[in-house]
Amino acid sequence: MKRILIMIMALMAAAALLVAGCGGDKKEAAEKVLRVGTEPTFAPFEFQKEGSKEYDGFDMDLIRAVGKQMGYKVEIQNMGFDALIPALNAGNIDVVAAGMSITDERKQAVTFSEPYYTSGLIIMVNKDNNDIKSLKDLEGKRIACQIGTTGEGKARSVAGAKVTAFNTNTEAAMELTNHGVDAVINDSPVVGYYLAQGGNKTAKTVGEVMEAEQYGLAVKKGNDKLAADINKALAELKKNGEYDKIYKTWFGEVKK
Ligand code: ARG
C-alpha cells in the first residue's frame, strides 16, 4: 500500500513538472516581436542620451505602449531617416515610429496609422542673424535640413537656396552653429526642445510655424491588419489615459 502511494506521488510530481515545462514553452513561442525602425536624432520624439544605447522619447514610449497593448515585444532599430520606408518595404522592420509626417507622397509608398501628433516646420537661424525673418528671406541662402524629411522638401522649394541635407539633425544644427549655413528647417517641437536644452545660447527661431503636419506610425503598404491593430491600440491608449500620461512626460501639459 505504502509503495503504491509513493509511486502515485512520484507520478503526480512528474506530471506537474511536465505541465509546467509545456506552459513555459508555450509562453515563449507566443512572444511576438514588433520590429520598429526609427532615426534617433529627433528629441523629444526619439533620441539616445549621450553614451546610452537606450531609445528615449515620446514616440519610443508610445510605440512600446502600443506594442504592449497588442501583445508584442518591441525591438527598436536605428537607421537613416531616408532608409526607413525602404526597410519597411523590404520587410526588415514592421513599423516606423520616427515623427514621420503623413504626406500624400508617402501615402503612395506606405500605410499610415491614425495621426498621433500635430506638428509643423519652423526656421532656425543664428541669434546674430537679423536678416532672415521668413521663408522668402531664405531665397539664395544656405539651408541645412535632414535628408528625406519634409524640412528638406520645404528647403528645396526656396528659389536659389543652397540646400545641404544631412543624415542626422545633430549635424544640421552643428552646421548652423559653425555658420556653415544661414538657417535650418526642421519640425517646430524638435527645434523648440533643442533651443530649450541650451541651443538658445546661439540660435533662435524666426517666423511662424509653417502649415500643420500630422505624425503617423507607418507600416508596409497593404499590411492593413497591422495598421488596424495599431489604430485599435492607439485608440485604447487614448481612452485609458496612457497616451496623456506619455504626452505629459515629454510635453508637460496635455494638449486637448
Ligand atoms: N516630420 C518630418 C518628416 O516626416 C521629420 C521627421 C524626422 N524624424 C526623425 N526621426 N529624424 O519628414
Side-chain angles (χ1 to χ4, degrees):
M1 191 59 195
K2 214 177 179 184
R3 233 197 232 156
I4 290 174
L5 214 74
I6 287 172
M7 248 166 76
I8 287 174
M9 273 167 69
L11 268 171
M12 273 169 68
L17 269 176
L18 216 75
V19 168
C22 283
D25 280 345
K26 232 188 229 155
K27 205 170 149 220
E28 234 165 68
E31 187 135 63
K32 301 175 287 178
V33 173
L34 192 66
R35 297 166 304 163
V36 175
T38 199
E39 192 290 312
T41 65
F42 203 64
F45 295 93
E46 41 267 344
F47 62 102
Q48 293 171 303
K49 286 201 201 94
E50 231 184 287
S52 169
K53 288 256 171 285
E54 297 285 308
Y55 293 95
D56 265 313
F58 177 79
D59 288 348
M60 303 294 93
D61 285 351
L62 186 67
I63 195 64
R64 282 191 279 253
V66 164
K68 193 170 168 208
Q69 183 70 31
M70 290 165 40
Y72 282 86
K73 178 172 180 247
V74 171
E75 272 174 23
I76 298 167
Q77 292 178 34
N78 177 349
M79 50 189 82
F81 189 77
D82 59 339
L84 291 165
I85 290 180
L88 263 189
N89 289 331
N92 295 334
I93 53 172
D94 304 306
V95 190
V96 169
M100 186 175 274
S101 302
I102 302 172
T103 66
D104 286 337
E105 196 186 334
R106 286 178 184 151
K107 273 198 215 159
Q108 310 290 314
V110 298
T111 297
F112 281 104
S113 71
E114 292 296 327
Y116 66 85
Y117 186 92
T118 302
S119 187
L121 297 170
I122 199 147
I123 301 166
M124 177 167 71
V125 297
N126 281 313
K127 247 182 165 171
D128 55 14
N129 184 323
N130 293 309
D131 308 330
I132 298 169
K133 297 200 167 57
S134 68
L135 197 67
K136 183 111 187 69
D137 297 334
L138 288 179
E139 287 179 4
K141 295 280 186 337
R142 302 163 303 166
I143 312 173
C145 54
Q146 184 178 31
I147 197 162
T149 60
T150 49
E152 179 180 9
K154 186 59 87 180
R156 298 217 182 268
S157 77
V158 179
K162 186 182 171 297
V163 178
T164 314
F166 290 93
N167 283 322
T168 65
N169 287 304
T170 319
E171 293 163 284
M174 216 183 284
E175 193 69 2
L176 180 69
T177 311
N178 296 338
H179 288 80
V181 289
D182 304 297
V184 166
I185 300 183
N186 197 0
D187 294 35
S188 163
V190 172
V191 171
Y193 190 87
Y194 168 79
L195 294 176
Q197 295 291 307
N200 61 3
K201 286 191 196 80
T202 61
K204 63 181 181 188
T205 60
V206 289
E208 298 294 312
V209 176
M210 296 179 247
E211 65 273 11
E213 292 183 9
Q214 310 268 10
Y215 293 167
L217 300 167
V219 301
K220 187 172 180 172
K221 199 164 179 69
N223 200 347
D224 296 342
K225 165 88 176 83
L226 183 58
D229 287 349
I230 288 174
N231 283 334
K232 219 175 109 195
L234 274 176
E236 187 52 41
L237 296 174
K238 285 201 172 162
K239 217 170 77 194
N240 69 16
E242 187 68 19
Y243 176 93
D244 282 357
K245 211 173 108 193
I246 297 171
Y247 192 98
K248 259 195 205 146
T249 305
W250 295 104
F251 305 108
E253 273 318 287
V254 175
K255 187 163 66 182
K256 286 286 175 205

